[in-house]
Amino acid sequence: MIHRAGSILVAVLLVSACASTPPPREQMAISKAAVSNASSAGANEYAPLQLKSALEKMNAAEQAMAEKDYMRARQLAEQAQVDAQLAEATTRSAKAQKAADAVQEDSRILREEMERNNQSSSPQ
């Protein structure tokens, strides 16, 4: 009898804990914005796996919200936000590297042209 009462008490506490968890609307909005920012930054091209992971977790968070599993929704939304931020950072880093490579190549070409001009204008 005591074991059964204890089990019921634990079940009631778990249900009340879940019921008292508010919907993570703010976290959902922050996470959606992070996914959108990553996508706008070009993560489809430079960080497709991270962006895909963020999108999948965001979809799962929305499903958990619909099921009123707010703790799971918050966790998934937070994970989606982190994945999206990683995708955006990876994208920005790749774009910066690409720009640096282009500047380096332009400098190399300019040096070669200067060397050719010096050689053609120097007396022989």
Side-chain angles (χ1 to χ4, degrees), residues 6-52:
S7 297
I8 292 172
L9 178 61
V10 169
V12 168
L13 288 174
L14 285 174
V15 168
S16 66
C18 291
S20 66
T21 301
R25 290 185 182 96
E26 185 178 348
Q27 181 61 54
M28 294 292 287
I30 290 168
S31 298
K32 285 179 186 177
V35 171
S36 178
N37 289 343
S39 184
S40 296
N44 282 329
E45 180 180 352
Y46 294 100
L49 296 178
Q50 293 91 342
L51 182 61
K52 181 179 183 223

Side-chain angles (χ1 to χ4, degrees), residues 23-39 54 58 61-62 65 73-74 76-85 88:
R25 290 185 182 96
E26 185 178 348
Q27 181 61 54
M28 294 292 287
I30 290 168
S31 298
K32 285 179 186 177
V35 171
S36 178
N37 289 343
S39 184
M58 199 67 236
E62 289 171 351
M65 281 287 282
R74 176 178 300 284
L76 287 164
E78 288 171 350
Q79 292 172 11
Q81 179 184 354
V82 170
D83 287 351
Q85 289 170 336
E88 185 174 1

